[in-house]
PDB file of all heavy atoms in Angstrom:
ATOM      1  N   VAL A1334     -17.985  18.406 -22.746  1.00 96.00           N
ATOM      2  CA  VAL A1334     -16.854  17.468 -22.717  1.00 96.00           C
ATOM      3  C   VAL A1334     -15.554  18.209 -22.384  1.00 96.00           C
ATOM      4  O   VAL A1334     -14.774  17.772 -21.541  1.00 96.00           O
ATOM      5  CB  VAL A1334     -16.737  16.670 -24.046  1.00 96.00           C
ATOM      6  CG1 VAL A1334     -15.431  15.886 -24.089  1.00 96.00           C
ATOM      7  CG2 VAL A1334     -17.931  15.731 -24.219  1.00 96.00           C
ATOM      8  N   VAL A1335     -15.351  19.324 -23.021  1.00 96.00           N
ATOM      9  CA  VAL A1335     -14.146  20.125 -22.770  1.00 96.00           C
ATOM     10  C   VAL A1335     -14.124  20.563 -21.315  1.00 96.00           C
ATOM     11  O   VAL A1335     -13.073  20.500 -20.639  1.00 96.00           O
ATOM     12  CB  VAL A1335     -14.059  21.329 -23.730  1.00 96.00           C
ATOM     13  CG1 VAL A1335     -12.977  22.317 -23.282  1.00 96.00           C
ATOM     14  CG2 VAL A1335     -13.782  20.855 -25.148  1.00 96.00           C
ATOM     15  N   GLY A1336     -15.255  21.013 -20.799  1.00 96.00           N
ATOM     16  CA  GLY A1336     -15.329  21.424 -19.398  1.00 96.00           C
ATOM     17  C   GLY A1336     -14.998  20.269 -18.452  1.00 96.00           C
ATOM     18  O   GLY A1336     -14.261  20.424 -17.478  1.00 96.00           O
ATOM     19  N   ARG A1337     -15.560  19.091 -18.767  1.00 97.00           N
ATOM     20  CA  ARG A1337     -15.296  17.911 -17.915  1.00 97.00           C
ATOM     21  C   ARG A1337     -13.830  17.498 -17.986  1.00 97.00           C
ATOM     22  O   ARG A1337     -13.246  17.120 -16.984  1.00 97.00           O
ATOM     23  CB  ARG A1337     -16.218  16.768 -18.350  1.00 97.00           C
ATOM     24  CG  ARG A1337     -16.115  15.568 -17.487  1.00 97.00           C
ATOM     25  CD  ARG A1337     -16.600  15.867 -16.057  1.00 97.00           C
ATOM     26  NE  ARG A1337     -16.384  14.692 -15.250  1.00 97.00           N
ATOM     27  CZ  ARG A1337     -15.819  14.703 -14.049  1.00 97.00           C
ATOM     28  NH1 ARG A1337     -15.487  15.857 -13.505  1.00 97.00           N
ATOM     29  NH2 ARG A1337     -15.638  13.608 -13.367  1.00 97.00           N
ATOM     30  N   VAL A1338     -13.252  17.572 -19.187  1.00 97.00           N
ATOM     31  CA  VAL A1338     -11.835  17.241 -19.338  1.00 97.00           C
ATOM     32  C   VAL A1338     -10.994  18.215 -18.515  1.00 97.00           C
ATOM     33  O   VAL A1338     -10.029  17.792 -17.847  1.00 97.00           O
ATOM     34  CB  VAL A1338     -11.426  17.255 -20.835  1.00 97.00           C
ATOM     35  CG1 VAL A1338      -9.902  17.217 -20.979  1.00 97.00           C
ATOM     36  CG2 VAL A1338     -12.060  16.097 -21.588  1.00 97.00           C
ATOM     37  N   ASP A1339     -11.335  19.466 -18.518  1.00 97.00           N
ATOM     38  CA  ASP A1339     -10.596  20.440 -17.707  1.00 97.00           C
ATOM     39  C   ASP A1339     -10.724  20.100 -16.212  1.00 97.00           C
ATOM     40  O   ASP A1339      -9.730  20.200 -15.474  1.00 97.00           O
ATOM     41  CB  ASP A1339     -11.117  21.871 -17.968  1.00 97.00           C
ATOM     42  CG  ASP A1339     -10.669  22.413 -19.322  1.00 97.00           C
ATOM     43  OD1 ASP A1339      -9.718  21.850 -19.898  1.00 97.00           O
ATOM     44  OD2 ASP A1339     -11.286  23.387 -19.804  1.00 97.00           O
ATOM     45  N   GLU A1340     -11.937  19.719 -15.792  1.00 97.00           N
ATOM     46  CA  GLU A1340     -12.134  19.342 -14.399  1.00 97.00           C
ATOM     47  C   GLU A1340     -11.264  18.132 -14.050  1.00 97.00           C
ATOM     48  O   GLU A1340     -10.621  18.084 -12.978  1.00 97.00           O
ATOM     49  CB  GLU A1340     -13.596  19.004 -14.137  1.00 97.00           C
ATOM     50  CG  GLU A1340     -14.525  20.187 -14.124  1.00 97.00           C
ATOM     51  CD  GLU A1340     -15.998  19.763 -14.009  1.00 97.00           C
ATOM     52  OE1 GLU A1340     -16.248  18.585 -13.686  1.00 97.00           O
ATOM     53  OE2 GLU A1340     -16.872  20.592 -14.270  1.00 97.00           O
ATOM     54  N   LEU A1341     -11.280  17.150 -14.928  1.00 97.00           N
ATOM     55  CA  LEU A1341     -10.480  15.953 -14.690  1.00 97.00           C
ATOM     56  C   LEU A1341      -8.978  16.276 -14.653  1.00 97.00           C
ATOM     57  O   LEU A1341      -8.237  15.718 -13.843  1.00 97.00           O
ATOM     58  CB  LEU A1341     -10.765  14.881 -15.770  1.00 97.00           C
ATOM     59  CG  LEU A1341     -12.140  14.246 -15.698  1.00 97.00           C
ATOM     60  CD1 LEU A1341     -12.369  13.361 -16.913  1.00 97.00           C
ATOM     61  CD2 LEU A1341     -12.311  13.447 -14.429  1.00 97.00           C
ATOM     62  N   ARG A1342      -8.578  17.177 -15.498  1.00 97.00           N
ATOM     63  CA  ARG A1342      -7.161  17.596 -15.502  1.00 97.00           C
ATOM     64  C   ARG A1342      -6.791  18.207 -14.142  1.00 97.00           C
ATOM     65  O   ARG A1342      -5.717  17.917 -13.593  1.00 97.00           O
ATOM     66  CB  ARG A1342      -6.965  18.639 -16.584  1.00 97.00           C
ATOM     67  CG  ARG A1342      -5.739  18.372 -17.408  1.00 97.00           C
ATOM     68  CD  ARG A1342      -5.543  19.452 -18.456  1.00 97.00           C
ATOM     69  NE  ARG A1342      -5.742  18.847 -19.757  1.00 97.00           N
ATOM     70  CZ  ARG A1342      -6.088  19.472 -20.850  1.00 97.00           C
ATOM     71  NH1 ARG A1342      -6.304  20.756 -20.817  1.00 97.00           N
ATOM     72  NH2 ARG A1342      -6.240  18.833 -21.976  1.00 97.00           N
ATOM     73  N   LEU A1343      -7.684  19.031 -13.605  1.00 97.00           N
ATOM     74  CA  LEU A1343      -7.423  19.651 -12.305  1.00 97.00           C
ATOM     75  C   LEU A1343      -7.392  18.607 -11.195  1.00 97.00           C
ATOM     76  O   LEU A1343      -6.548  18.649 -10.284  1.00 97.00           O
ATOM     77  CB  LEU A1343      -8.498  20.717 -11.992  1.00 97.00           C
ATOM     78  CG  LEU A1343      -8.443  21.983 -12.852  1.00 97.00           C
ATOM     79  CD1 LEU A1343      -9.641  22.865 -12.549  1.00 97.00           C
ATOM     80  CD2 LEU A1343      -7.150  22.746 -12.638  1.00 97.00           C
ATOM     81  N   GLU A1344      -8.304  17.631 -11.282  1.00 97.00           N
ATOM     82  CA  GLU A1344      -8.339  16.573 -10.290  1.00 97.00           C
ATOM     83  C   GLU A1344      -7.040  15.753 -10.328  1.00 97.00           C
ATOM     84  O   GLU A1344      -6.474  15.407  -9.300  1.00 97.00           O
ATOM     85  CB  GLU A1344      -9.543  15.645 -10.507  1.00 97.00           C
ATOM     86  CG  GLU A1344     -10.859  16.267 -10.107  1.00 97.00           C
ATOM     87  CD  GLU A1344     -12.047  15.358 -10.384  1.00 97.00           C
ATOM     88  OE1 GLU A1344     -11.854  14.138 -10.439  1.00 97.00           O
ATOM     89  OE2 GLU A1344     -13.153  15.879 -10.550  1.00 97.00           O
ATOM     90  N   VAL A1345      -6.601  15.445 -11.537  1.00 98.00           N
ATOM     91  CA  VAL A1345      -5.344  14.685 -11.686  1.00 98.00           C
ATOM     92  C   VAL A1345      -4.166  15.507 -11.134  1.00 98.00           C
ATOM     93  O   VAL A1345      -3.297  14.958 -10.439  1.00 98.00           O
ATOM     94  CB  VAL A1345      -5.083  14.302 -13.163  1.00 98.00           C
ATOM     95  CG1 VAL A1345      -3.674  13.784 -13.378  1.00 98.00           C
ATOM     96  CG2 VAL A1345      -6.118  13.267 -13.623  1.00 98.00           C
ATOM     97  N   ARG A1346      -4.152  16.793 -11.391  1.00 97.00           N
ATOM     98  CA  ARG A1346      -3.095  17.655 -10.846  1.00 97.00           C
ATOM     99  C   ARG A1346      -3.098  17.622  -9.316  1.00 97.00           C
ATOM    100  O   ARG A1346      -2.050  17.493  -8.669  1.00 97.00           O
ATOM    101  CB  ARG A1346      -3.267  19.092 -11.340  1.00 97.00           C
ATOM    102  CG  ARG A1346      -2.095  19.986 -10.963  1.00 97.00           C
ATOM    103  CD  ARG A1346      -2.372  21.435 -11.220  1.00 97.00           C
ATOM    104  NE  ARG A1346      -3.376  21.854 -10.235  1.00 97.00           N
ATOM    105  CZ  ARG A1346      -4.126  22.959 -10.371  1.00 97.00           C
ATOM    106  NH1 ARG A1346      -3.988  23.729 -11.387  1.00 97.00           N
ATOM    107  NH2 ARG A1346      -5.000  23.262  -9.438  1.00 97.00           N
ATOM    108  N   ASP A1347      -4.300  17.711  -8.723  1.00 97.00           N
ATOM    109  CA  ASP A1347      -4.410  17.658  -7.279  1.00 97.00           C
ATOM    110  C   ASP A1347      -3.946  16.311  -6.740  1.00 97.00           C
ATOM    111  O   ASP A1347      -3.297  16.240  -5.707  1.00 97.00           O
ATOM    112  CB  ASP A1347      -5.864  17.936  -6.833  1.00 97.00           C
ATOM    113  CG  ASP A1347      -6.266  19.376  -7.107  1.00 97.00           C
ATOM    114  OD1 ASP A1347      -5.398  20.236  -7.329  1.00 97.00           O
ATOM    115  OD2 ASP A1347      -7.508  19.637  -7.092  1.00 97.00           O
ATOM    116  N   MET A1348      -4.311  15.229  -7.442  1.00 97.00           N
ATOM    117  CA  MET A1348      -3.888  13.907  -7.005  1.00 97.00           C
ATOM    118  C   MET A1348      -2.366  13.777  -7.063  1.00 97.00           C
ATOM    119  O   MET A1348      -1.757  13.152  -6.203  1.00 97.00           O
ATOM    120  CB  MET A1348      -4.538  12.833  -7.863  1.00 97.00           C
ATOM    121  CG  MET A1348      -5.991  12.588  -7.524  1.00 97.00           C
ATOM    122  SD  MET A1348      -6.575  11.153  -8.434  1.00 97.00           S
ATOM    123  CE  MET A1348      -8.019  11.812  -9.188  1.00 97.00           C
ATOM    124  N   ARG A1349      -1.769  14.362  -8.074  1.00 97.00           N
ATOM    125  CA  ARG A1349      -0.300  14.316  -8.164  1.00 97.00           C
ATOM    126  C   ARG A1349       0.335  15.035  -6.965  1.00 97.00           C
ATOM    127  O   ARG A1349       1.307  14.569  -6.409  1.00 97.00           O
ATOM    128  CB  ARG A1349       0.177  14.981  -9.467  1.00 97.00           C
ATOM    129  CG  ARG A1349       0.019  14.130 -10.680  1.00 97.00           C
ATOM    130  CD  ARG A1349       0.590  14.835 -11.890  1.00 97.00           C
ATOM    131  NE  ARG A1349       0.343  14.070 -13.091  1.00 97.00           N
ATOM    132  CZ  ARG A1349       0.310  14.592 -14.299  1.00 97.00           C
ATOM    133  NH1 ARG A1349       0.501  15.877 -14.481  1.00 97.00           N
ATOM    134  NH2 ARG A1349       0.089  13.819 -15.346  1.00 97.00           N
ATOM    135  N   LYS A1350      -0.239  16.191  -6.609  1.00 97.00           N
ATOM    136  CA  LYS A1350       0.281  16.929  -5.465  1.00 97.00           C
ATOM    137  C   LYS A1350       0.173  16.072  -4.191  1.00 97.00           C
ATOM    138  O   LYS A1350       1.104  16.000  -3.401  1.00 97.00           O
ATOM    139  CB  LYS A1350      -0.483  18.228  -5.263  1.00 97.00           C
ATOM    140  CG  LYS A1350      -0.136  19.312  -6.262  1.00 97.00           C
ATOM    141  CD  LYS A1350      -0.960  20.570  -5.987  1.00 97.00           C
ATOM    142  CE  LYS A1350      -0.695  21.639  -7.005  1.00 97.00           C
ATOM    143  NZ  LYS A1350      -1.550  22.833  -6.760  1.00 97.00           N
ATOM    144  N   GLU A1351      -1.006  15.443  -4.018  1.00 97.00           N
ATOM    145  CA  GLU A1351      -1.185  14.586  -2.849  1.00 97.00           C
ATOM    146  C   GLU A1351      -0.228  13.422  -2.859  1.00 97.00           C
ATOM    147  O   GLU A1351       0.345  13.047  -1.820  1.00 97.00           O
ATOM    148  CB  GLU A1351      -2.631  14.070  -2.804  1.00 97.00           C
ATOM    149  CG  GLU A1351      -3.658  15.104  -2.448  1.00 97.00           C
ATOM    150  CD  GLU A1351      -5.092  14.569  -2.456  1.00 97.00           C
ATOM    151  OE1 GLU A1351      -5.259  13.345  -2.245  1.00 97.00           O
ATOM    152  OE2 GLU A1351      -6.002  15.355  -2.722  1.00 97.00           O
ATOM    153  N   LEU A1352       0.001  12.846  -4.021  1.00 97.00           N
ATOM    154  CA  LEU A1352       0.909  11.718  -4.142  1.00 97.00           C
ATOM    155  C   LEU A1352       2.341  12.159  -3.794  1.00 97.00           C
ATOM    156  O   LEU A1352       3.068  11.446  -3.079  1.00 97.00           O
ATOM    157  CB  LEU A1352       0.859  11.143  -5.560  1.00 97.00           C
ATOM    158  CG  LEU A1352       1.751   9.932  -5.818  1.00 97.00           C
ATOM    159  CD1 LEU A1352       1.363   8.776  -4.912  1.00 97.00           C
ATOM    160  CD2 LEU A1352       1.642   9.503  -7.275  1.00 97.00           C
ATOM    161  N   ARG A1353       2.739  13.318  -4.256  1.00 96.00           N
ATOM    162  CA  ARG A1353       4.068  13.842  -3.917  1.00 96.00           C
ATOM    163  C   ARG A1353       4.191  14.044  -2.414  1.00 96.00           C
ATOM    164  O   ARG A1353       5.208  13.705  -1.797  1.00 96.00           O
ATOM    165  CB  ARG A1353       4.340  15.146  -4.650  1.00 96.00           C
ATOM    166  CG  ARG A1353       4.945  14.949  -6.002  1.00 96.00           C
ATOM    167  CD  ARG A1353       5.411  16.263  -6.615  1.00 96.00           C
ATOM    168  NE  ARG A1353       4.852  16.333  -7.953  1.00 96.00           N
ATOM    169  CZ  ARG A1353       3.978  17.220  -8.394  1.00 96.00           C
ATOM    170  NH1 ARG A1353       3.588  18.204  -7.619  1.00 96.00           N
ATOM    171  NH2 ARG A1353       3.479  17.180  -9.618  1.00 96.00           N
ATOM    172  N   THR A1354       3.140  14.617  -1.830  1.00 96.00           N
ATOM    173  CA  THR A1354       3.152  14.840  -0.368  1.00 96.00           C
ATOM    174  C   THR A1354       3.243  13.516   0.361  1.00 96.00           C
ATOM    175  O   THR A1354       4.060  13.359   1.285  1.00 96.00           O
ATOM    176  CB  THR A1354       1.869  15.594   0.073  1.00 96.00           C
ATOM    177  OG1 THR A1354       1.819  16.853  -0.604  1.00 96.00           O
ATOM    178  CG2 THR A1354       1.827  15.784   1.568  1.00 96.00           C
ATOM    179  N   ASN A1355       2.428  12.541  -0.050  1.00 97.00           N
ATOM    180  CA  ASN A1355       2.467  11.221   0.602  1.00 97.00           C
ATOM    181  C   ASN A1355       3.830  10.522   0.405  1.00 97.00           C
ATOM    182  O   ASN A1355       4.323   9.891   1.307  1.00 97.00           O
ATOM    183  CB  ASN A1355       1.341  10.337   0.066  1.00 97.00           C
ATOM    184  CG  ASN A1355      -0.030  10.821   0.496  1.00 97.00           C
ATOM    185  OD1 ASN A1355      -0.151  11.542   1.463  1.00 97.00           O
ATOM    186  ND2 ASN A1355      -1.043  10.404  -0.228  1.00 97.00           N
ATOM    187  N   THR A1356       4.379  10.700  -0.779  1.00 97.00           N
ATOM    188  CA  THR A1356       5.707  10.119  -1.062  1.00 97.00           C
ATOM    189  C   THR A1356       6.753  10.732  -0.138  1.00 97.00           C
ATOM    190  O   THR A1356       7.590  10.043   0.421  1.00 97.00           O
ATOM    191  CB  THR A1356       6.078  10.310  -2.529  1.00 97.00           C
ATOM    192  OG1 THR A1356       5.103   9.704  -3.352  1.00 97.00           O
ATOM    193  CG2 THR A1356       7.431   9.717  -2.839  1.00 97.00           C
ATOM    194  N   ASN A1357       6.702  12.048   0.027  1.00 96.00           N
ATOM    195  CA  ASN A1357       7.654  12.710   0.918  1.00 96.00           C
ATOM    196  C   ASN A1357       7.493  12.253   2.357  1.00 96.00           C
ATOM    197  O   ASN A1357       8.466  12.018   3.068  1.00 96.00           O
ATOM    198  CB  ASN A1357       7.497  14.240   0.836  1.00 96.00           C
ATOM    199  CG  ASN A1357       7.959  14.804  -0.471  1.00 96.00           C
ATOM    200  OD1 ASN A1357       8.743  14.181  -1.198  1.00 96.00           O
ATOM    201  ND2 ASN A1357       7.459  15.963  -0.832  1.00 96.00           N
ATOM    202  N   GLN A1358       6.245  12.109   2.772  1.00 97.00           N
ATOM    203  CA  GLN A1358       5.992  11.635   4.128  1.00 97.00           C
ATOM    204  C   GLN A1358       6.481  10.200   4.306  1.00 97.00           C
ATOM    205  O   GLN A1358       7.063   9.859   5.336  1.00 97.00           O
ATOM    206  CB  GLN A1358       4.499  11.709   4.470  1.00 97.00           C
ATOM    207  CG  GLN A1358       3.986  13.123   4.619  1.00 97.00           C
ATOM    208  CD  GLN A1358       2.468  13.200   4.786  1.00 97.00           C
ATOM    209  OE1 GLN A1358       1.763  12.220   4.557  1.00 97.00           O
ATOM    210  NE2 GLN A1358       1.986  14.351   5.157  1.00 97.00           N
ATOM    211  N   LEU A1359       6.266   9.384   3.293  1.00 97.00           N
ATOM    212  CA  LEU A1359       6.725   7.987   3.336  1.00 97.00           C
ATOM    213  C   LEU A1359       8.247   7.937   3.420  1.00 97.00           C
ATOM    214  O   LEU A1359       8.801   7.148   4.182  1.00 97.00           O
ATOM    215  CB  LEU A1359       6.208   7.216   2.125  1.00 97.00           C
ATOM    216  CG  LEU A1359       6.593   5.749   2.054  1.00 97.00           C
ATOM    217  CD1 LEU A1359       6.028   4.992   3.258  1.00 97.00           C
ATOM    218  CD2 LEU A1359       6.087   5.145   0.765  1.00 97.00           C
ATOM    219  N   GLU A1360       8.909   8.770   2.644  1.00 96.00           N
ATOM    220  CA  GLU A1360      10.369   8.818   2.694  1.00 96.00           C
ATOM    221  C   GLU A1360      10.854   9.246   4.069  1.00 96.00           C
ATOM    222  O   GLU A1360      11.837   8.705   4.589  1.00 96.00           O
ATOM    223  CB  GLU A1360      10.919   9.751   1.599  1.00 96.00           C
ATOM    224  CG  GLU A1360      10.774   9.173   0.191  1.00 96.00           C
ATOM    225  CD  GLU A1360      11.128  10.174  -0.886  1.00 96.00           C
ATOM    226  OE1 GLU A1360      11.491  11.328  -0.570  1.00 96.00           O
ATOM    227  OE2 GLU A1360      11.044   9.788  -2.068  1.00 96.00           O
ATOM    228  N   PHE A1361      10.174  10.205   4.676  1.00 96.00           N
ATOM    229  CA  PHE A1361      10.535  10.682   6.002  1.00 96.00           C
ATOM    230  C   PHE A1361      10.393   9.546   7.023  1.00 96.00           C
ATOM    231  O   PHE A1361      11.293   9.303   7.859  1.00 96.00           O
ATOM    232  CB  PHE A1361       9.670  11.878   6.401  1.00 96.00           C
ATOM    233  CG  PHE A1361       9.917  12.389   7.783  1.00 96.00           C
ATOM    234  CD1 PHE A1361      11.060  13.131   8.058  1.00 96.00           C
ATOM    235  CD2 PHE A1361       9.032  12.115   8.811  1.00 96.00           C
ATOM    236  CE1 PHE A1361      11.283  13.615   9.331  1.00 96.00           C
ATOM    237  CE2 PHE A1361       9.252  12.579  10.065  1.00 96.00           C
ATOM    238  CZ  PHE A1361      10.387  13.334  10.353  1.00 96.00           C
ATOM    239  N   VAL A1362       9.296   8.854   6.948  1.00 97.00           N
ATOM    240  CA  VAL A1362       9.039   7.724   7.878  1.00 97.00           C
ATOM    241  C   VAL A1362      10.049   6.616   7.662  1.00 97.00           C
ATOM    242  O   VAL A1362      10.587   6.044   8.598  1.00 97.00           O
ATOM    243  CB  VAL A1362       7.582   7.194   7.730  1.00 97.00           C
ATOM    244  CG1 VAL A1362       7.400   5.877   8.473  1.00 97.00           C
ATOM    245  CG2 VAL A1362       6.591   8.246   8.255  1.00 97.00           C
ATOM    246  N   THR A1363      10.330   6.314   6.397  1.00 97.00           N
ATOM    247  CA  THR A1363      11.322   5.285   6.062  1.00 97.00           C
ATOM    248  C   THR A1363      12.697   5.643   6.628  1.00 97.00           C
ATOM    249  O   THR A1363      13.384   4.784   7.188  1.00 97.00           O
ATOM    250  CB  THR A1363      11.402   5.090   4.523  1.00 97.00           C
ATOM    251  OG1 THR A1363      10.095   4.737   4.040  1.00 97.00           O
ATOM    252  CG2 THR A1363      12.385   4.009   4.157  1.00 97.00           C
ATOM    253  N   THR A1364      13.077   6.878   6.497  1.00 96.00           N
ATOM    254  CA  THR A1364      14.354   7.344   7.047  1.00 96.00           C
ATOM    255  C   THR A1364      14.369   7.163   8.560  1.00 96.00           C
ATOM    256  O   THR A1364      15.353   6.697   9.141  1.00 96.00           O
ATOM    257  CB  THR A1364      14.616   8.799   6.666  1.00 96.00           C
ATOM    258  OG1 THR A1364      14.616   8.914   5.240  1.00 96.00           O
ATOM    259  CG2 THR A1364      15.922   9.314   7.227  1.00 96.00           C
ATOM    260  N   GLY A1365      13.262   7.531   9.199  1.00 96.00           N
ATOM    261  CA  GLY A1365      13.186   7.378  10.648  1.00 96.00           C
ATOM    262  C   GLY A1365      13.272   5.916  11.051  1.00 96.00           C
ATOM    263  O   GLY A1365      13.925   5.565  12.065  1.00 96.00           O
ATOM    264  N   LEU A1366      12.622   5.040  10.295  1.00 96.00           N
ATOM    265  CA  LEU A1366      12.664   3.604  10.611  1.00 96.00           C
ATOM    266  C   LEU A1366      14.072   3.046  10.453  1.00 96.00           C
ATOM    267  O   LEU A1366      14.515   2.215  11.219  1.00 96.00           O
ATOM    268  CB  LEU A1366      11.685   2.837   9.744  1.00 96.00           C
ATOM    269  CG  LEU A1366      10.212   3.013  10.106  1.00 96.00           C
ATOM    270  CD1 LEU A1366       9.317   2.328   9.084  1.00 96.00           C
ATOM    271  CD2 LEU A1366       9.935   2.490  11.497  1.00 96.00           C
ATOM    272  N   ARG A1367      14.767   3.501   9.406  1.00 96.00           N
ATOM    273  CA  ARG A1367      16.159   3.048   9.196  1.00 96.00           C
ATOM    274  C   ARG A1367      17.045   3.481  10.372  1.00 96.00           C
ATOM    275  O   ARG A1367      17.879   2.726  10.837  1.00 96.00           O
ATOM    276  CB  ARG A1367      16.706   3.592   7.893  1.00 96.00           C
ATOM    277  CG  ARG A1367      16.179   2.874   6.687  1.00 96.00           C
ATOM    278  CD  ARG A1367      16.870   3.281   5.400  1.00 96.00           C
ATOM    279  NE  ARG A1367      16.229   2.682   4.283  1.00 96.00           N
ATOM    280  CZ  ARG A1367      15.807   3.320   3.208  1.00 96.00           C
ATOM    281  NH1 ARG A1367      15.984   4.626   3.113  1.00 96.00           N
ATOM    282  NH2 ARG A1367      15.209   2.685   2.223  1.00 96.00           N
ATOM    283  N   SER A1368      16.831   4.707  10.813  1.00 96.00           N
ATOM    284  CA  SER A1368      17.595   5.221  11.960  1.00 96.00           C
ATOM    285  C   SER A1368      17.284   4.408  13.199  1.00 96.00           C
ATOM    286  O   SER A1368      18.179   4.023  13.960  1.00 96.00           O
ATOM    287  CB  SER A1368      17.263   6.683  12.202  1.00 96.00           C
ATOM    288  OG  SER A1368      17.855   7.153  13.371  1.00 96.00           O
ATOM    289  N   LEU A1369      16.015   4.123  13.408  1.00 96.00           N
ATOM    290  CA  LEU A1369      15.595   3.318  14.554  1.00 96.00           C
ATOM    291  C   LEU A1369      16.192   1.912  14.472  1.00 96.00           C
ATOM    292  O   LEU A1369      16.669   1.375  15.477  1.00 96.00           O
ATOM    293  CB  LEU A1369      14.071   3.249  14.608  1.00 96.00           C
ATOM    294  CG  LEU A1369      13.463   2.529  15.795  1.00 96.00           C
ATOM    295  CD1 LEU A1369      13.881   3.186  17.112  1.00 96.00           C
ATOM    296  CD2 LEU A1369      11.949   2.508  15.658  1.00 96.00           C
ATOM    297  N   GLU A1370      16.197   1.356  13.295  1.00 96.00           N
ATOM    298  CA  GLU A1370      16.745   0.008  13.090  1.00 96.00           C
ATOM    299  C   GLU A1370      18.247  -0.006  13.451  1.00 96.00           C
ATOM    300  O   GLU A1370      18.727  -0.925  14.107  1.00 96.00           O
ATOM    301  CB  GLU A1370      16.547  -0.434  11.639  1.00 96.00           C
ATOM    302  CG  GLU A1370      17.027  -1.843  11.359  1.00 96.00           C
ATOM    303  CD  GLU A1370      16.795  -2.236   9.907  1.00 96.00           C
ATOM    304  OE1 GLU A1370      16.619  -1.349   9.054  1.00 96.00           O
ATOM    305  OE2 GLU A1370      16.771  -3.441   9.655  1.00 96.00           O
TER     306      GLU A1370
END
């Protein structure tokens, strides 16, 4: 159980990184769309 919890913790950490990356990309696209508008 402890091993699985550690694995899940790592997966959640990776998902957070991906979410931050996606959020940054979304903000970049949103800025571009505002400029285009």
Side-chain angles (χ1 to χ4, degrees):
V1334 169
V1335 168
R1337 184 65 185 132
V1338 168
D1339 287 342
E1340 289 173 13
L1341 290 173
R1342 226 182 248 156
L1343 291 173
E1344 287 178 24
V1345 168
R1346 188 191 69 198
D1347 292 344
M1348 284 188 233
R1349 282 183 185 157
K1350 285 179 183 177
E1351 288 178 27
L1352 182 60
R1353 272 189 231 116
T1354 300
N1355 291 340
T1356 301
N1357 290 338
Q1358 289 173 348
L1359 181 61
E1360 288 172 359
F1361 177 75
V1362 168
T1363 301
T1364 301
L1366 287 174
R1367 284 188 186 128
S1368 173
L1369 183 60
E1370 183 179 20

